[in-house]
Amino acid sequence: MDKPNVVLGVSGGIAAYKACELLRRLTESGHDVRVVPTASALNFVGEATWAALSGHPAGTEVWESVHEVPHVRIGQRADLVVVAPATADMLAKAAHGLADDLLTNTLLTARCPVVFAPAMHTEMWENPATQENVATLRRRGAIVIEPAVGRLTGVDTGKGRLPEPGEIFEVCRRVLARGAEGVAADLAGRHVVVSAGGTREPLDPVRYLGNRSSGKQGYALARTAVARGARVTLVAANSELPDPAGADVVHVGTAVQLREAVLKAAADADAVVMAAAVADFRPASYAEGKIKKRDGQEPEPVALVRNPDVLAELSAARPRPGQVVVGFAAETDQVLENGRAKLARKGCDLLVVNEVGERKTFGSELNEAVVLAPDGTETPVPYGPKEALADTVWDLVVPRLG
């Protein structure tokens, strides 16, 4: 079978060296990759490196190998174009249709999905000109993933760091899979909020009440939403997973903190998917010092109080008109019966019901579930990768969006 053709565009930022790792992941997973750097990018990583790693020449000008018409053919033959890093200059050129080198010509001729992975200083990313260019590209169907937060060049820290190559690769893999199925970026221009992980309710400085949730299902929802073109806010509770490329990640600990973060992010969201395992209860009081074990004495009972019901609150308030709210129900018995009752009680648009246990679902890469709707519709999702369940959830959300 023919290998998928990927064009890796590299623009002139210090993060260009990270594109070598992205190139390696793409080639080792069976993709035929043509690297198209800008002249500025070659100041950071030389042409010989790109050619050796990809097995193809890596020119920058439209005047090289003119008989092959590369400024047209490279884009025409591509199944995916990914630009990593995408500088502010490159985003501006792409948004305005400029074509002064081989990469910008390739972007104009490509009829396949295009992914931009921006990398620049925080001030440049937040500049209104850059934000308008990003909005223009997204409106046209390009996938512009959000940059990461972290160390930049010099001593600066902030939003603008290139996401890790492994995470960019996951976005590319999902976009390619959807492109092969002929499915467009159906969440382009949408803002979605996803909660993930499990909250922890402190008992004393060293102990807490928690659960077994790893956050993998919520992270799968975030990754698949990015690949479908959405702007994603991920509210992550106590997960040790790497931040998904393209998502704005808000890390929280307790149910109260999660509520605050979700409600803030939901104010302008088109959809909210509550995949986190949120504690129903928390200790009524917090011990400032470690609770000691005393010989011959039984411990004092731990009094509990209710936590806020974030899903019910969202469903009732709908911070944005037409907002779609999706809940998750982890059940250990009478799964569908309990799920239907919870759907009616919470008032959400969809409820994903799955059976959990010590060796079921939690921490696994696989899941199975039934998605319930208020009209009685049931959509079963067979046992398989969590990203398959995630795509099914988004498939059901999209037609419900206003």
Side-chain angles (χ1 to χ4, degrees):
M1 295 178 64
D2 293 336
K3 295 180 178 180
N5 293 313
V6 177
V7 175
L8 173 57
V10 184
S11 53
I14 186 64
Y17 75 93
K18 290 186 176 181
C20 295
E21 172 65 13
L22 176 58
L23 172 57
R24 183 187 68 80
R25 288 177 180 264
L26 287 166
T27 55
E28 288 186 355
S29 57
H31 300 87
D32 187 25
V33 186
R34 176 75 178 262
V35 181
V36 183
T38 64
S40 297
L42 297 183
N43 289 320
F44 298 97
V45 180
E47 181 179 353
T49 299
W50 299 122
L53 292 176
S54 68
H56 295 289
T60 65
E61 300 296 333
V62 297
W63 306 112
E64 299 171 2
S65 303
V66 174
H67 65 288
E68 297 179 357
V69 200
H71 74 289
V72 174
R73 296 288 181 262
I74 293 174
Q76 286 179 334
R77 294 170 180 167
D79 297 303
L80 173 72
V81 177
V82 52
V83 184
T87 60
D89 179 67
M90 178 53 60
L91 294 173
K93 288 180 176 178
H96 290 84
L98 300 182
D100 60 355
D101 62 6
L102 188 56
L103 178 53
T104 48
N105 274 269
T106 298
L107 289 170
L108 283 181
T109 57
R111 293 296 180 265
C112 60
V114 178
V115 175
F116 292 93
M120 63 197 74
H121 265 68
T122 306
E123 294 85 355
M124 299 174 74
W125 171 252
E126 293 177 347
N127 188 283
T130 302
Q131 290 300 303
E132 287 184 17
N133 291 332
V134 168
T136 297
L137 291 168
R138 285 174 171 162
R139 188 173 62 252
R140 294 174 184 163
I143 296 172
V144 185
I145 64 179
E146 293 288 313
V149 176
R151 183 70 177 268
L152 307 173
T153 50
V155 298
D156 293 344
T157 299
K159 187 171 184 178
R161 180 183 175 90
L162 185 73
E164 292 305 311
E167 289 297 317
I168 300 175
F169 169 74
E170 287 299 318
V171 174
C172 293
R173 184 180 64 81
R174 291 299 306 151
V175 172
L176 274 167
R178 291 184 61 77
E181 298 166 0
V183 183
D186 52 5
L187 286 174
R190 302 290 191 176
H191 176 210
V192 303
V193 177
V194 178
S195 69
T199 60
R200 296 176 180 177
E201 309 302 321
L203 180 61
D204 65 20
V206 297
R207 300 182 181 94
Y208 60 84
L209 300 180
N211 56 67
R212 300 178 185 275
S213 179
S214 65
K216 290 181 178 179
Q217 185 62 70
Y219 276 59
L221 282 155
R223 287 191 179 97
T224 52
V226 168
R228 296 171 77 142
R231 176 168 68 91
V232 179
T233 301
L234 175 64
V235 179
N238 304 297
S239 178
E240 297 180 358
L241 300 172
D243 290 351
D248 281 322
V249 184
V250 181
H251 293 279
V252 297
T254 67
V256 171
Q257 291 169 350
L258 182 139
R259 173 187 176 274
E260 180 181 352
V262 167
L263 291 180
K264 181 179 179 180
D268 68 343
D270 297 286
V272 183
V273 181
M274 292 291 295
V278 183
D280 293 321
F281 310 100
R282 67 180 184 273
S285 60
Y286 173 76
E288 296 295 338
K290 179 182 175 182
I291 300 173
K292 298 292 187 180
K293 177 175 66 177
R294 304 190 184 281
D295 292 340
Q297 295 183 14
E298 292 298 318
E300 292 291 329
V302 177
L304 301 177
V305 296
R306 284 182 175 273
N307 269 324
D309 191 329
V310 187
L311 178 58
E313 185 176 355
L314 274 171
S315 299
R318 306 284 172 157
R320 180 173 181 170
Q323 187 176 82
V324 178
V325 179
V326 182
F328 270 67
E331 301 290 345
T332 57
D333 56 74
Q334 297 180 306
V335 176
L336 288 180
E337 181 180 338
N338 289 335
R340 292 188 191 97
K342 184 172 183 177
L343 175 63
R345 191 169 63 251
K346 302 293 185 179
C348 50
D349 300 288
L350 296 167
L351 188 73
V352 183
V353 185
N354 59 347
E355 186 175 357
V356 298
E358 188 171 345
R359 293 179 179 84
K360 282 186 177 181
T361 302
F362 288 137
S364 171
E365 302 294 335
L366 307 172
N367 201 355
E368 65 178 323
V370 177
V371 186
L372 305 178
D375 63 2
T377 304
E378 297 181 2
T379 305
V381 183
Y383 192 65
K386 288 185 173 179
E387 67 178 23
L389 173 56
D391 267 326
T392 299
V393 170
W394 295 125
D395 288 343
L396 294 169
V397 166
V398 167
R400 289 171 166 80
L401 293 171

